[in-house]
């Protein structure tokens, strides 16, 4: 389906073609869910979805053909046809029927399989009833006599009957008129407010109903606890040089010289991160792409070099909004991001510094306020630079008195890179690469183009939007990890190599840093805006979706992530 926007801003979306009956079910449940799934092609697997697929396995294998409607159907009484498609351009509908049975009177009865149970009143759920009526409509349109439809509820093991009447069919046609109106609008409907439907919705982590409603003006309901499950899968890092990564029997395996070094279930893997000269088999690349698991490449020194994934995101409306944003809007978003970066750095210093001068927090607070009001990128750059000089001049005051690595050189060098000249700079550079990698994967999954930002200018090979969003998370994720590594003595002097003025981590050093970084990303905090607890990894995802909601016009301004 194409959505076109005329020069005067008038919507000129083409009407949708065939609507799947399952999407009508989703529309009855929640029009916003329908819009996200069908119009924007955004989909998520949940336990309920997996359970539904399991229940459907008994009817997913096509068998037998439904007799021609011109035949004497009574002769085919008892025949069952499984898993076949019917479509009608006149109705604008298509459906995959689980079962169609021919009874002794020659009538055809569609039977829809559901994993759950009838509603609390012992009746068929409205969503299921409409979906079954659509199947009956399609069968009638194909010429078959249909007077009843049935729904099979697997949980209670019972069949429920639905009578096909002119009144019920008229109800379906009214639903379809409303559905096409919603589908023709590029903007999704507003989220449901405090609805009991949301907790079990598979797209709750994408829809974010409470968060979007909270950020709308004049709508301030108390957000409920985060409904989206924190994913159990985690990134896999491979840094043993000369190894080969492959897949075998549903597992991701790392080999070297015929020996298996590591093996993970594919369902437990969220990213494959390769550092240096690692080979990935074509079968593994294909399987990872099919599962939408990104492959991230780093140079041996830890520079984030690139990423490969499957087909690009289908959320074209988001990318259109991203590329058509005005320079004023870009600056407004960037100013909030830099304000958050300065405030989060100030908070980190106040929490951890052992001898912070009294004037430093005040200076940073003033710069944060000025950044929030900046109206041009050059002035924002100047404010960010001034804040960075103050912040990094006191950075080593957050370390313990006798640190396990040489930190005093950072006081002389300041923040330096390409190459980092001392251990602290080496840690910061490597951790910033890991953070940008995670944000790039998150932005790409949501549907952004990570190379077109609002603050960092586009440049070949630079994920500008990832660098933008990383700004507010650098102090509280990457810098905080450096402090933890040093103060907990998880990093030592022998974890660094010094060559020609450049300092870099050894393989053991990188392993220690990655372990600490992943613990930081899994650390739970209270969300500063919504009040529920989230991991930093989920906070990245929420923040990227808030940015998407702002760019597509769902919320009036971008709210950054700022700790207190």
């Amino acid at each position: 389906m194409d959505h076109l926007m005329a020069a005067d801003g008038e919507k000129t979306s083409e009407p949708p073609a065939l609507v799947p009956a399952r999407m009508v079910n989703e529309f009855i449940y929640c029009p916003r869910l329908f819009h996200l799934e069908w119009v924007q092609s955004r989909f998520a697997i949940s336990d309920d979805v997996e359970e539904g697929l399991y229940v459907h396995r008994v009817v997913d294998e096509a068998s037998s053909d439904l007799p021609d409607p011109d035949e004497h159907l009574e002769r085919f009484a008892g025949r069952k046809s499984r898993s076949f498609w019917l479509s009608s351009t006149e109705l604008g509908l298509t459906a995959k029927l689980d079962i169609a049975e021919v009874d002794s009177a020659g009538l055809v009865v569609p039977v829809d399989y559901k994993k759950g149970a009838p509603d609390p009143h012992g009746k068929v759920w409205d969503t299921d009833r409409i979906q079954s009526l659509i199947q009956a409509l399609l069968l009638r349109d194909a010429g078959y006599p249909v007077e009843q439809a049935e729904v099979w509820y697997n949980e209670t093991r019972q069949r429920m009957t639905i009578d096909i009447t002119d009144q019920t069919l008229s109800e379906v046609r009214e639903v379809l008129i409303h559905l096409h109106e919603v589908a023709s609008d590029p903007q999704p409907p507003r989220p449901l407010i405090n609805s009991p439907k949301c907790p079990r919705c598979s797209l709750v982590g994408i829809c974010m109903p409470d968060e979007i409603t909270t950020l709308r003006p004049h709508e301030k309901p108390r957000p409920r606890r985060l409904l989206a499950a924190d994913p159990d899968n985690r990134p896999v890092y491979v840094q043993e040089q000369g190894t080969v990564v492959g897949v075998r029997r549903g597992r991701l395996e790392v080999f070297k010289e015929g020996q298996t070094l590591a093996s993970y279930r594919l369902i437990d893997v969220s990213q494959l991160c390769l550092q240096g000269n690692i080979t990935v088999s074509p079968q593994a690349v294909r399987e990872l792409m099919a599962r939408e698991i990104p492959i991230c490449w780093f140079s041996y020194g830890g520079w984030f070099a690139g990423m490969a994934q499957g087909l690009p995101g289908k959320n074209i409306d988001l990318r259109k909004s991203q590329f058509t944003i005005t320079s004023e809007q870009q600056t407004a978003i960037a100013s909030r991001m830099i304000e958050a970066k300065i405030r989060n750095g100030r908070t980190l210093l106040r929490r951890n510094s052992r001898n912070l001068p009294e004037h430093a927090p005040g200076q940073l607070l003033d710069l944060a306020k000025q950044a929030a009001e900046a109206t041009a990128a050059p002035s924002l750059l100047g404010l960010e630079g001034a804040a960075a000089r103050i912040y990094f001049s006191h950075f080593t005051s957050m370390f313990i008195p006798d640190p396990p690595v040489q930190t005093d050189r950072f006081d002389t060098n300041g923040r330096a890179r390409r190459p980092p000249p001392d251990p602290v700079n080496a840690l910061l550079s490597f951790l910033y690469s890991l953070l940008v990698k995670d944000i790039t994967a998150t932005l790409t999954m949501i549907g952004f183009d990570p190379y077109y930002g609002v603050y960092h200018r586009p440049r070949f090979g630079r994920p500008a939007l990832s660098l933008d969003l990383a700004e507010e998370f650098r102090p509280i994720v990457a810098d905080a990890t450096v402090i933890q590594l040093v103060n907990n003595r998880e990093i030592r002097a022998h974890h660094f190599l010094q060559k020609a003025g450049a300092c870099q981590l050894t393989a053991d050093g990188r392993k220690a840093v990655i372990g600490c970084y992943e613990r930081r990303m899994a650390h739970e905090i209270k969300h500063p805006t919504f009040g529920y607890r989230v991991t930093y990894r989920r906070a990245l995802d929420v923040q990227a979706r808030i940015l998407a909601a702002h760019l597509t016009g769902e919320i009036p301004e971008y709210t950054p992530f700022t700790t207190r």
Side-chain angles (χ1 to χ4, degrees):
M1 183 179 60
D2 293 325
H3 292 302
L4 303 174
M5 189 71 75
D8 59 359
E10 183 182 354
K11 296 165 188 171
T12 59
S13 302
E14 294 180 3
L18 298 180
V19 183
R22 187 177 68 81
M23 285 297 123
V24 182
N25 181 315
E26 307 288 46
F27 178 77
I28 300 295
Y29 188 81
C30 171
R32 182 177 171 86
L33 169 65
F34 157 77
H35 197 282
L36 293 175
E37 281 200 348
W38 192 56
V39 179
Q40 300 185 14
S41 299
R42 298 160 80 177
F43 196 74
I45 295 292
S46 68
D47 290 346
D48 281 345
V49 174
E50 292 283 7
E51 189 179 347
L53 293 173
Y54 180 78
V55 169
H56 266 86
R57 76 194 189 286
V58 298
V59 292
D60 278 346
E61 187 174 345
S63 66
S64 185
D65 290 327
L66 201 60
D68 192 279
D70 296 330
E71 298 274 357
H72 293 290
L73 295 177
E74 296 88 346
R75 293 192 295 114
F76 300 93
R79 174 175 285 192
K80 293 182 180 179
S81 295
R82 289 184 170 82
S83 190
F84 65 95
W85 284 92
L86 282 178
S87 299
S88 168
T89 52
E90 183 178 351
L91 297 172
L93 291 168
T94 184
K96 184 179 182 182
L97 277 67
D98 291 338
I99 291 179
E101 294 180 345
V102 181
D103 67 13
S104 56
L107 300 174
V108 177
V109 181
V111 184
D112 200 31
Y113 267 53
K114 298 295 179 186
K115 70 176 181 59
D119 73 8
H121 305 292
K123 297 181 178 178
V124 177
W125 292 93
D126 263 357
T127 51
D128 300 338
R129 186 171 62 85
I130 297 295
Q131 187 172 354
S132 293
L133 289 172
I134 287 174
Q135 294 178 0
L137 262 178
L138 286 168
L139 283 168
R140 280 193 174 187
D141 187 72
Y144 293 99
V146 184
E147 294 185 359
Q148 285 187 334
E150 295 184 353
V151 178
W152 163 259
Y153 285 108
N154 190 66
E155 186 176 322
T156 53
R157 313 289 295 175
Q158 66 184 120
R159 277 194 182 196
M160 310 287 290
T161 301
I162 303 164
D163 291 329
I164 312 299
T165 65
D166 291 343
Q167 183 180 355
T168 55
L169 294 181
S170 174
E171 182 185 355
V172 172
R173 292 189 177 93
E174 288 181 11
V175 168
L176 293 175
I177 291 171
H178 189 197
L179 178 146
H180 281 76
E181 289 173 356
V182 171
S184 299
D185 193 335
Q187 285 291 338
R190 289 191 174 192
L192 301 177
I193 297 177
N194 292 328
S195 171
K197 295 178 179 178
C198 297
R200 298 202 66 174
C201 176
S202 61
L203 259 63
V204 67
I206 295 173
C207 171
M208 300 204 310
D210 291 0
E211 292 83 349
I212 297 297
T213 304
T214 299
L215 296 176
R216 284 180 182 275
H218 313 303
E219 296 181 20
K220 299 291 182 186
R222 181 182 176 82
R224 293 166 287 184
R225 288 183 64 82
L226 188 65
L227 302 169
D230 184 38
D232 294 327
N233 49 7
R234 293 287 183 265
V236 169
Y237 296 87
V238 183
Q239 57 174 342
E240 178 71 22
Q241 301 303 294
T243 54
V244 177
V245 179
V247 291
R248 187 168 56 182
R249 295 191 292 272
R251 300 184 71 86
L252 184 77
E253 299 192 325
V254 184
F255 305 94
K256 186 173 185 180
E257 297 175 352
Q259 291 191 336
T260 304
L261 303 183
S263 178
Y264 308 90
R265 295 189 306 170
L266 277 167
I267 59 173
D268 294 333
V269 178
S270 65
Q271 303 167 3
L272 175 61
C273 305
L274 311 171
Q275 189 149 12
N277 298 321
I278 314 292
T279 301
V280 186
S281 72
Q283 294 83 357
V285 172
R286 188 170 60 248
E287 183 64 27
L288 293 172
M289 287 185 172
R291 291 173 178 261
E292 298 184 347
I293 299 173
I295 307 171
C296 304
W297 277 274
F298 293 82
S299 68
Y300 184 77
W303 184 259
F304 180 38
M307 186 175 76
Q309 61 167 25
L311 294 172
K314 300 173 183 175
N315 195 350
I316 185 63
D317 288 329
L318 173 59
R319 284 200 291 280
K320 281 167 58 181
S321 302
Q322 182 185 356
F323 285 113
T324 55
I325 187 174
T326 65
S327 59
E328 290 78 12
Q329 289 173 304
Q330 287 181 325
T331 304
I333 297 171
S335 63
R336 298 303 311 276
M337 289 175 169
I338 298 304
E339 176 203 1
K341 176 186 180 181
I342 299 172
R343 286 183 181 274
N344 288 340
R346 175 177 178 269
T347 300
L348 195 69
L349 279 174
R350 293 182 67 189
R351 285 180 183 173
N352 298 284
S353 177
R354 297 164 193 276
N355 53 0
L356 186 65
E358 291 185 2
H359 63 271
Q363 289 177 327
L364 289 172
L365 184 58
D366 288 342
L367 289 167
K369 291 178 179 176
Q370 293 177 50
E373 297 174 356
T375 55
S379 60
L380 195 56
L381 280 169
L383 293 167
E384 184 196 8
R389 282 191 291 277
I390 296 172
Y391 173 71
F392 283 121
S393 67
H394 302 292
F395 192 76
T396 57
S397 70
M398 293 187 281
F399 294 142
I400 55 178
D402 56 339
V405 296
Q406 194 175 18
T407 60
D408 54 350
R409 288 173 57 198
F410 185 82
D411 293 328
T412 306
N413 297 324
R415 175 72 184 115
R417 52 188 185 142
R418 298 184 182 179
D422 55 75
V424 175
N425 270 305
L427 289 172
L428 288 172
S429 293
F430 186 53
L431 284 161
Y432 289 162
S433 289
L434 294 177
L435 179 61
V436 169
K437 175 265 298 180
D438 278 331
I439 293 177
T440 301
T442 301
L443 291 172
T444 305
M445 177 187 66
I446 292 173
F448 283 104
D449 184 337
Y451 291 92
Y452 188 74
V454 297
Y455 183 50
H456 292 80
R457 296 300 96 192
R459 197 172 71 192
F460 185 82
R462 180 167 76 170
L465 188 62
S466 307
L467 294 168
D468 293 343
L469 193 57
E471 296 289 7
E472 54 200 90
F473 287 97
R474 285 177 192 263
I476 52 180
V477 173
D479 299 356
T481 303
V482 174
I483 295 167
Q484 188 173 347
L485 280 163
V486 173
N487 290 357
N488 291 345
R489 300 184 184 281
E490 295 180 59
I491 198 79
R492 301 280 181 166
H494 66 268
H495 286 140
F496 297 92
L497 290 174
Q498 196 79 39
K499 290 182 179 178
C503 183
Q504 62 179 217
L505 285 156
T506 64
D508 286 343
R510 288 193 295 272
K511 187 176 180 180
V513 174
I514 289 170
C516 190
Y517 171 78
E518 287 299 326
R519 289 202 307 276
R520 184 68 181 173
M521 293 295 278
H523 179 69
E524 279 196 356
I525 53 166
K526 183 178 179 181
H527 197 286
T529 304
F530 306 123
Y532 49 59
R533 298 194 70 77
V534 288
T535 63
Y536 277 112
R537 188 173 295 284
R538 173 61 183 163
L540 287 180
D541 184 84
V542 170
Q543 211 55 32
R545 294 187 189 282
I546 289 174
L547 178 60
H550 171 55
L551 292 180
T552 54
E554 283 205 84
I555 53 177
E557 64 178 11
Y558 175 71
T559 302
F561 188 93
T562 310
T563 56
R564 300 187 177 92

